[in-house]
Protein backbone atom coordinates (compact mmCIF):
# COMPACT_ATOMS: atom_id res chain seq x y z
CA UNK A 1 0.00 0.00 0.00
CA UNK A 2 1.52 3.38 -0.97
CA UNK A 3 2.48 5.76 1.78
CA UNK A 4 0.32 8.79 2.41
CA UNK A 5 1.59 11.66 0.21
CA UNK A 6 1.49 14.23 3.01
CA UNK A 7 3.33 11.97 5.41
CA UNK A 8 5.97 11.18 2.77
CA UNK A 9 6.43 14.88 2.09
CA UNK A 10 6.80 15.71 5.79
CA UNK A 11 9.29 12.91 6.38
CA UNK A 12 11.31 13.91 3.33
CA UNK A 13 11.43 17.49 4.55
CA UNK A 14 12.73 16.39 7.96
CA UNK A 15 15.39 14.18 6.36
CA UNK A 16 16.62 17.07 4.22
CA UNK A 17 16.92 19.23 7.33
CA UNK A 18 18.76 16.61 9.39
CA UNK A 19 20.99 15.09 6.70
CA UNK A 20 20.87 11.94 4.68
CA UNK A 21 22.77 9.64 7.05
CA UNK A 22 20.45 7.23 8.94
CA UNK A 23 22.82 7.26 11.94
CA UNK A 24 22.68 11.06 12.09
CA UNK A 25 18.89 11.11 11.86
CA UNK A 26 18.53 8.46 14.57
CA UNK A 27 20.90 10.36 16.84
CA UNK A 28 18.96 13.63 16.48
CA UNK A 29 15.57 11.97 16.89
CA UNK A 30 16.83 10.17 20.03
CA UNK A 31 17.85 13.41 21.69
CA UNK A 32 14.62 15.05 20.62
CA UNK A 33 12.75 12.34 22.51
CA UNK A 34 14.90 12.96 25.60
CA UNK A 35 14.24 16.67 25.26
CA UNK A 36 10.51 16.07 24.82
CA UNK A 37 10.34 14.13 28.07
CA UNK A 38 12.11 17.00 29.82
CA UNK A 39 10.35 20.07 28.44
CA UNK A 40 7.21 18.51 26.87
CA UNK A 41 7.84 20.33 23.61
CA UNK A 42 7.39 17.26 21.42
CA UNK A 43 8.74 19.02 18.33
CA UNK A 44 11.65 20.54 20.21
CA UNK A 45 15.09 20.14 18.66
CA UNK A 46 16.76 21.76 21.70
CA UNK A 47 17.78 24.80 19.69
CA UNK A 48 17.14 27.79 21.93
CA UNK A 49 14.77 25.90 24.23
CA UNK A 50 15.22 27.21 27.82
CA UNK A 51 13.65 24.10 29.32
CA UNK A 52 16.43 21.95 27.91
CA UNK A 53 19.28 23.83 29.59
CA UNK A 54 19.64 21.20 32.32
CA UNK A 55 19.67 18.34 29.82
CA UNK A 56 22.09 19.58 27.20
CA UNK A 57 25.40 19.73 29.15
CA UNK A 58 25.11 15.95 29.51
CA UNK A 59 24.39 15.33 25.81
CA UNK A 60 27.51 16.89 24.29
CA UNK A 61 28.01 19.97 22.17
CA UNK A 62 27.73 18.09 18.91
CA UNK A 63 24.04 17.51 19.70
CA UNK A 64 23.45 21.25 20.09
CA UNK A 65 23.51 23.54 17.05
CA UNK A 66 25.55 26.19 18.88
CA UNK A 67 28.14 23.85 20.44
CA UNK A 68 30.32 24.50 23.47
CA UNK A 69 32.51 27.51 24.03
CA UNK A 70 35.95 27.06 25.59
CA UNK A 71 34.74 28.99 28.65
CA UNK A 72 31.85 26.55 29.12
CA UNK A 73 34.16 23.54 28.89
CA UNK A 74 36.41 25.09 31.54
CA UNK A 75 33.42 25.74 33.83
CA UNK A 76 32.20 22.15 33.48
CA UNK A 77 35.71 20.78 34.03
CA UNK A 78 35.86 22.67 37.33
CA UNK A 79 32.44 21.62 38.60
CA UNK A 80 31.47 18.25 37.07
CA UNK A 81 31.44 15.44 39.63
CA UNK A 82 33.17 13.09 37.15
CA UNK A 83 35.94 15.54 36.27
CA UNK A 84 39.54 14.57 37.15
CA UNK A 85 39.83 18.11 38.55
CA UNK A 86 37.93 16.91 41.64
CA UNK A 87 40.65 14.37 42.44
CA UNK A 88 43.53 16.85 42.42
CA UNK A 89 45.16 18.19 45.57
CA UNK A 90 44.46 21.72 46.75
CA UNK A 91 47.63 23.38 45.45
CA UNK A 92 47.34 21.57 42.11
CA UNK A 93 43.76 22.86 41.72
CA UNK A 94 44.86 26.40 42.55
CA UNK A 95 47.65 26.23 39.97
CA UNK A 96 45.36 24.81 37.27
CA UNK A 97 42.70 27.41 38.09
CA UNK A 98 45.17 30.21 37.39
CA UNK A 99 46.14 28.74 34.03
CA UNK A 100 42.56 28.02 32.97
CA UNK A 101 41.52 31.54 33.95
CA UNK A 102 44.25 32.89 31.70
CA UNK A 103 42.99 30.75 28.82
CA UNK A 104 39.37 31.72 29.46
CA UNK A 105 40.01 35.48 29.65
CA UNK A 106 41.51 35.64 26.17
CA UNK A 107 39.94 32.74 24.28
CA UNK A 108 36.95 31.62 26.36
CA UNK A 109 34.38 33.22 24.04
CA UNK A 110 35.39 31.05 21.07
CA UNK A 111 33.22 28.15 19.90
CA UNK A 112 35.15 24.87 19.88
CA UNK A 113 34.01 24.13 16.34
CA UNK A 114 35.90 27.23 15.21
CA UNK A 115 39.20 26.16 16.84
CA UNK A 116 41.54 24.57 14.29
CA UNK A 117 45.09 23.24 14.26
CA UNK A 118 46.43 26.62 13.16
CA UNK A 119 44.53 28.26 16.03
CA UNK A 120 46.24 26.07 18.63
CA UNK A 121 49.65 26.68 17.06
CA UNK A 122 49.08 30.45 17.16
CA UNK A 123 48.07 30.26 20.82
CA UNK A 124 51.21 28.31 21.70
CA UNK A 125 53.44 30.83 19.89
CA UNK A 126 51.81 33.66 21.86
CA UNK A 127 52.10 31.86 25.21
CA UNK A 128 55.74 30.80 24.66
CA UNK A 129 56.98 34.09 23.21
CA UNK A 130 59.93 35.74 24.93
CA UNK A 131 61.45 32.41 25.90
CA UNK A 132 58.49 31.33 28.05
CA UNK A 133 58.60 27.79 26.71
CA UNK A 134 57.64 26.16 30.00
CA UNK A 135 54.58 28.41 30.34
CA UNK A 136 53.46 27.68 26.79
CA UNK A 137 53.87 23.95 27.26
CA UNK A 138 51.94 24.05 30.57
CA UNK A 139 48.98 25.85 28.96
CA UNK A 140 48.92 23.38 26.06
CA UNK A 141 48.87 20.58 28.65
CA UNK A 142 45.80 22.19 30.24
CA UNK A 143 44.06 22.24 26.85
CA UNK A 144 44.84 18.55 26.40
CA UNK A 145 43.23 17.84 29.77
CA UNK A 146 40.17 19.98 28.99
CA UNK A 147 39.52 18.39 25.59
CA UNK A 148 40.05 14.87 26.94
CA UNK A 149 37.49 15.60 29.65
CA UNK A 150 35.08 17.02 27.08
CA UNK A 151 35.36 13.91 24.92
CA UNK A 152 35.25 11.26 27.69
CA UNK A 153 32.76 12.83 30.11
CA UNK A 154 30.69 15.17 27.90
CA UNK A 155 30.95 12.96 24.78
CA UNK A 156 31.59 16.01 22.64
CA UNK A 157 32.72 15.49 19.05
CA UNK A 158 34.64 18.78 18.84
CA UNK A 159 36.63 17.82 21.95
CA UNK A 160 37.48 14.49 20.31
CA UNK A 161 38.67 16.31 17.19
CA UNK A 162 40.81 18.75 19.20
CA UNK A 163 42.25 15.95 21.36
CA UNK A 164 43.37 14.17 18.22
CA UNK A 165 44.94 17.36 16.87
CA UNK A 166 46.92 17.93 20.08
CA UNK A 167 47.94 14.27 20.21
CA UNK A 168 49.49 14.53 16.76
CA UNK A 169 50.96 18.02 17.27
CA UNK A 170 54.52 18.60 18.46
CA UNK A 171 55.42 21.63 20.59
CA UNK A 172 58.88 22.64 21.64
CA UNK A 173 59.80 21.73 25.22
CA UNK A 174 62.71 22.62 27.48
CA UNK A 175 63.64 18.98 28.02
CA UNK A 176 64.79 17.51 31.35
CA UNK A 177 66.58 19.67 33.88
CA UNK A 178 70.26 18.82 33.88
CA UNK A 179 71.20 20.90 36.95
CA UNK A 180 71.32 19.26 40.35
CA UNK A 181 71.67 20.34 43.94
CA UNK A 182 74.92 18.66 44.98
CA UNK A 183 76.08 17.44 48.36
CA UNK A 184 78.44 20.45 48.58
CA UNK A 185 75.51 22.81 47.88
CA UNK A 186 73.49 21.17 50.65
CA UNK A 187 76.31 21.43 53.17
CA UNK A 188 76.81 25.12 52.34
CA UNK A 189 73.06 25.86 52.62
CA UNK A 190 72.84 24.11 55.99
CA UNK A 191 75.86 25.98 57.34
CA UNK A 192 74.62 29.41 56.22
CA UNK A 193 71.06 28.75 57.44
CA UNK A 194 72.34 28.01 60.95
CA UNK A 195 75.29 30.40 61.30
CA UNK A 196 74.18 33.50 59.36
CA UNK A 197 70.37 33.48 59.52
CA UNK A 198 69.59 31.34 62.57
CA UNK A 199 67.04 29.35 60.56
CA UNK A 200 67.75 25.87 61.90
CA UNK A 201 64.51 24.55 60.44
CA UNK A 202 65.69 25.32 56.89
CA UNK A 203 68.95 23.45 57.54
CA UNK A 204 66.95 20.45 58.81
CA UNK A 205 64.45 20.58 55.95
CA UNK A 206 67.25 20.70 53.37
CA UNK A 207 68.93 17.68 54.94
CA UNK A 208 65.63 15.75 54.95
CA UNK A 209 64.89 16.63 51.33
CA UNK A 210 68.32 15.71 50.02
CA UNK A 211 69.07 12.53 51.95
CA UNK A 212 65.55 11.06 51.74
CA UNK A 213 64.96 12.30 48.15
CA UNK A 214 61.67 13.95 49.09
CA UNK A 215 59.94 16.96 47.55
CA UNK A 216 59.65 20.19 49.48
CA UNK A 217 55.94 19.59 50.07
CA UNK A 218 56.57 16.08 51.42
CA UNK A 219 58.92 17.56 54.04
CA UNK A 220 57.40 20.87 55.17
CA UNK A 221 53.78 20.04 54.23
CA UNK A 222 51.24 22.60 53.06
CA UNK A 223 48.38 24.73 54.40
CA UNK A 224 44.96 24.00 52.88
CA UNK A 225 41.37 25.11 53.64
CA UNK A 226 39.58 23.19 56.40
CA UNK A 227 37.03 21.95 53.87
CA UNK A 228 39.69 19.80 52.16
CA UNK A 229 39.30 16.05 52.90
CA UNK A 230 42.72 15.52 54.54
CA UNK A 231 42.77 15.08 58.32
CA UNK A 232 44.98 17.28 60.51
CA UNK A 233 45.59 18.19 64.15
CA UNK A 234 47.19 21.54 63.22
CA UNK A 235 44.47 24.11 62.47
CA UNK A 236 45.11 27.88 62.46
CA UNK A 237 43.01 30.77 61.11
CA UNK A 238 40.65 28.65 59.06
CA UNK A 239 43.39 26.50 57.48
CA UNK A 240 44.93 23.17 58.36
CA UNK A 241 48.40 21.73 57.84
CA UNK A 242 48.72 18.43 55.98
CA UNK A 243 51.11 16.08 54.20
CA UNK A 244 54.44 17.01 55.87
CA UNK A 245 56.75 14.92 58.06
CA UNK A 246 55.68 14.32 61.68
CA UNK A 247 57.53 12.89 64.67
CA UNK A 248 55.04 10.03 64.75
CA UNK A 249 56.41 8.86 61.38
CA UNK A 250 59.67 7.75 63.10
CA UNK A 251 59.75 4.53 65.14
CA UNK A 252 62.11 3.44 67.92
CA UNK A 253 64.47 1.87 65.37
CA UNK A 254 64.84 5.24 63.60
CA UNK A 255 62.91 4.06 60.55
CA UNK A 256 60.83 6.83 58.98
CA UNK A 257 57.65 5.81 57.15
CA UNK A 258 55.79 8.37 55.10
CA UNK A 259 53.24 8.61 52.27
CA UNK A 260 54.58 10.83 49.51
CA UNK A 261 53.30 12.63 46.45
CA UNK A 262 49.82 12.89 44.97
CA UNK A 263 49.97 9.18 44.08
CA UNK A 264 50.32 8.27 47.77
CA UNK A 265 53.48 6.15 47.47
CA UNK A 266 54.87 4.75 50.72
CA UNK A 267 58.54 5.01 51.62
CA UNK A 268 60.67 3.60 54.43
CA UNK A 269 63.96 5.31 55.27
CA UNK A 270 66.59 4.23 57.78
CA UNK A 271 67.72 7.46 59.43
CA UNK A 272 70.82 5.73 60.78
CA UNK A 273 72.15 5.85 57.20
CA UNK A 274 71.50 9.62 56.90
CA UNK A 275 74.49 11.48 58.40
CA UNK A 276 73.21 14.98 57.57
CA UNK A 277 69.89 14.34 59.33
CA UNK A 278 71.66 12.81 62.33
CA UNK A 279 73.90 15.87 62.49
CA UNK A 280 70.96 18.30 62.38
CA UNK A 281 69.00 16.44 65.08
CA UNK A 282 71.95 15.71 67.39
CA UNK A 283 72.53 11.99 66.83
CA UNK A 284 70.59 8.78 67.27
CA UNK A 285 69.96 9.06 71.01
CA UNK A 286 68.69 12.62 70.66
CA UNK A 287 66.32 11.62 67.86
CA UNK A 288 64.87 8.82 70.02
CA UNK A 289 64.33 11.33 72.84
CA UNK A 290 62.63 13.80 70.50
CA UNK A 291 60.38 11.08 69.08
CA UNK A 292 59.26 10.13 72.60
CA UNK A 293 58.67 13.72 73.72
CA UNK A 294 57.35 15.60 70.69
CA UNK A 295 54.26 15.40 68.51
CA UNK A 296 53.23 17.13 65.32
CA UNK A 297 55.36 18.51 62.46
CA UNK A 298 59.12 17.94 62.44
CA UNK A 299 60.00 21.15 60.53
CA UNK A 300 58.73 24.29 62.31
CA UNK A 301 59.27 27.94 61.33
CA UNK A 302 61.88 29.35 63.75
CA UNK A 303 59.97 32.65 64.08
CA UNK A 304 56.27 31.71 64.15
CA UNK A 305 56.48 28.31 65.82
CA UNK A 306 54.14 26.93 63.12
CA UNK A 307 54.80 24.88 59.98
CA UNK A 308 56.17 26.91 57.08
CA UNK A 309 53.94 28.26 54.35
CA UNK A 310 55.09 27.23 50.88
CA UNK A 311 55.69 30.78 49.62
CA UNK A 312 57.59 31.94 52.72
CA UNK A 313 59.81 28.88 52.82
CA UNK A 314 60.66 29.23 49.13
CA UNK A 315 61.58 32.91 49.60
CA UNK A 316 63.75 32.28 52.67
CA UNK A 317 65.44 29.25 51.10
CA UNK A 318 66.52 31.35 48.11
CA UNK A 319 68.06 33.94 50.43
CA UNK A 320 70.08 31.22 52.14
CA UNK A 321 71.08 29.60 48.85
CA UNK A 322 72.40 32.87 47.43
CA UNK A 323 74.37 33.50 50.59
CA UNK A 324 75.80 29.98 50.26
CA UNK A 325 76.90 30.66 46.66
CA UNK A 326 74.35 28.37 44.99
CA UNK A 327 73.54 29.64 41.45
CA UNK A 328 70.00 30.94 40.88
CA UNK A 329 69.49 28.35 38.14
CA UNK A 330 69.65 25.64 40.82
CA UNK A 331 66.31 25.38 42.58
CA UNK A 332 65.09 23.74 45.74
CA UNK A 333 63.26 21.09 43.71
CA UNK A 334 66.63 19.99 42.32
CA UNK A 335 67.23 18.32 45.69
CA UNK A 336 65.57 15.34 43.99
CA UNK A 337 66.99 14.61 40.55
CA UNK A 338 64.23 13.81 38.08
CA UNK A 339 63.59 10.15 37.18
CA UNK A 340 66.14 8.70 39.64
CA UNK A 341 65.40 5.27 41.08
CA UNK A 342 68.20 5.02 43.64
CA UNK A 343 70.07 7.58 45.69
CA UNK A 344 73.71 8.54 45.51
CA UNK A 345 76.51 7.78 47.98
CA UNK A 346 75.62 10.85 50.06
CA UNK A 347 71.98 9.85 50.52
CA UNK A 348 70.15 7.57 52.93
CA UNK A 349 68.92 4.05 52.28
CA UNK A 350 65.28 4.43 51.26
CA UNK A 351 62.83 1.67 50.36
CA UNK A 352 60.08 2.70 47.96
CA UNK A 353 57.70 1.03 45.53
CA UNK A 354 58.91 1.36 41.93
CA UNK A 355 56.35 1.22 39.13
CA UNK A 356 56.80 0.54 35.42
CA UNK A 357 56.21 4.26 34.84
CA UNK A 358 59.15 5.09 37.14
CA UNK A 359 61.39 2.69 35.23
CA UNK A 360 60.32 4.15 31.88
CA UNK A 361 61.09 7.71 33.02
CA UNK A 362 64.46 6.60 34.36
CA UNK A 363 65.43 4.93 31.09
CA UNK A 364 64.35 7.97 29.05
CA UNK A 365 66.43 10.28 31.24
CA UNK A 366 69.47 8.02 30.88
CA UNK A 367 69.16 8.01 27.08
CA UNK A 368 69.22 11.81 27.06
Amino acid sequence: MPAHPARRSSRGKQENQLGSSPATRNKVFRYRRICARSCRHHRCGCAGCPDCSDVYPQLGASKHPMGYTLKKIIALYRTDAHSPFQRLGYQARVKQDRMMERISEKHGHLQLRGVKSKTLTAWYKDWSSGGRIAAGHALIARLRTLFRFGFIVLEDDDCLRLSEILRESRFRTQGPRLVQLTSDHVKAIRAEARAHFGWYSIALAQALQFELRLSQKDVIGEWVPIAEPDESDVIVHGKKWVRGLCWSHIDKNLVLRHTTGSAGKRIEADLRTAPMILDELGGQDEIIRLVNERVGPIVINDVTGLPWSTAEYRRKWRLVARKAGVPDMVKNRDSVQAATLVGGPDQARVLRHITLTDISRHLRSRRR
Side-chain angles (χ1 to χ4, degrees), residues 112-363:
L112 293 187
R113 65 178 53 182
V115 178
K116 310 297 181 183
S117 176
K118 292 181 179 179
T119 311
L120 297 172
T121 302
W123 291 357
Y124 173 76
K125 288 182 178 179
D126 177 42
W127 292 334
S128 60
S129 62
R132 298 170 298 175
I133 298 174
H137 198 264
L139 290 165
I140 287 292
R142 295 285 67 75
L143 288 180
R144 283 194 173 100
T145 303
L146 288 170
F147 297 148
R148 189 183 304 119
F149 159 77
F151 164 57
I152 295 175
V153 178
L154 304 179
E155 301 179 357
D156 180 68
D157 293 340
D158 284 319
C159 285
L160 170 60
R161 175 180 61 84
L162 292 169
S163 292
E164 289 294 319
I165 290 174
L166 287 177
R167 186 170 67 87
E168 297 299 328
S169 300
R170 297 294 178 265
F171 300 97
R172 181 185 174 191
T173 64
Q174 287 185 316
R177 286 183 61 80
L178 301 178
V179 297
Q180 184 179 4
L181 196 70
T182 66
S183 176
D184 291 337
H185 288 154
V186 172
K187 291 175 183 177
I189 289 172
R190 290 170 51 220
E192 290 297 337
R194 291 193 307 264
H196 185 80
F197 295 95
W199 296 335
Y200 294 88
S201 61
I202 290 183
L204 174 59
Q206 182 60 83
L208 289 166
Q209 273 189 262
F210 181 77
E211 290 199 307
L212 304 184
R213 306 194 300 283
L214 295 176
S215 70
Q216 176 183 297
K217 191 181 298 184
D218 286 325
V219 172
I220 69 170
E222 63 177 331
W223 290 95
V224 301
I226 292 180
E228 291 296 304
D230 308 88
E231 295 183 0
S232 175
D233 295 327
V234 183
I235 301 176
V236 179
H237 303 311
K239 289 192 174 183
K240 59 185 179 183
W241 178 83
V242 297
R243 189 172 167 176
L245 292 175
C246 295
W247 291 107
S248 58
H249 295 159
I250 306 174
D251 65 16
K252 62 180 180 180
N253 296 318
L254 299 187
V255 175
L256 182 146
R257 296 177 176 86
H258 186 46
T259 302
T260 66
S262 57
K265 294 182 179 180
R266 297 280 296 176
I267 67 159
E268 292 186 10
D270 188 350
L271 298 185
R272 292 171 297 184
T273 65
M276 293 185 187
I277 297 174
L278 292 175
D279 183 42
E280 291 297 334
L281 293 176
Q284 296 185 27
D285 294 337
E286 181 65 12
I287 293 177
I288 294 175
R289 184 187 70 80
L290 293 173
V291 169
N292 292 329
E293 293 182 359
R294 295 187 180 182
V295 294
I298 293 178
V299 180
I300 297 294
N301 188 315
D302 303 272
V303 178
T304 65
L306 296 170
W308 286 89
S309 69
T310 302
E312 184 66 7
Y313 181 86
R314 186 180 296 125
R315 188 178 72 84
K316 294 290 180 61
W317 184 91
R318 177 50 62 187
L319 292 175
V320 176
R322 285 174 178 163
K323 183 66 177 177
V326 178
D328 284 351
M329 64 180 298
V330 179
K331 302 182 183 300
N332 177 264
R333 63 190 174 104
D334 296 320
S335 299
V336 184
Q337 189 175 6
T340 55
L341 296 182
V342 295
D346 299 313
Q347 294 174 309
R349 187 162 61 245
V350 179
L351 299 178
R352 66 180 73 225
H353 295 289
I354 298 175
T355 65
L356 292 176
T357 301
D358 297 328
I359 296 173
S360 177
R361 289 174 180 169
H362 175 71
L363 293 176

Side-chain angles (χ1 to χ4, degrees), residues 6-119:
R7 178 174 297 179
R8 182 168 60 247
S9 175
S10 174
R11 181 179 180 85
K13 183 177 180 180
Q14 286 187 357
E15 290 182 356
N16 290 335
Q17 290 175 344
L18 299 176
S20 58
S21 168
T24 302
R25 293 198 300 271
N26 290 338
K27 184 187 295 185
V28 175
F29 282 128
R30 182 167 69 253
Y31 286 111
R32 282 186 174 180
R33 287 196 296 273
I34 294 173
C35 182
R37 288 197 296 271
S38 174
C39 67
R40 299 179 183 178
H41 296 171
H42 297 285
R43 291 184 178 274
C44 176
C46 288
C49 174
D51 295 325
C52 299
S53 58
D54 294 333
V55 178
Y56 246 109
Q58 302 171 12
L59 303 185
S62 58
K63 289 87 179 177
H64 196 293
M66 295 302 294
Y68 280 121
T69 62
L70 186 54
K71 184 175 183 180
K72 183 63 174 178
I73 288 289
I74 290 174
L76 290 172
Y77 175 74
R78 284 170 166 162
T79 58
D80 193 284
H82 302 288
S83 170
F85 186 75
Q86 309 301 332
R87 299 190 292 272
L88 296 175
Y90 172 71
Q91 293 294 345
R93 294 202 308 274
V94 170
K95 183 178 180 180
Q96 287 203 14
D97 260 331
R98 286 198 296 264
M99 287 190 284
M100 289 188 295
E101 190 63 32
R102 180 179 173 183
I103 295 172
S104 182
E105 284 181 0
K106 193 167 184 178
H107 307 294
H109 64 285
L110 296 176
Q111 295 284 336
L112 293 187
R113 65 178 53 182
V115 178
K116 310 297 181 183
S117 176
K118 292 181 179 179
T119 311

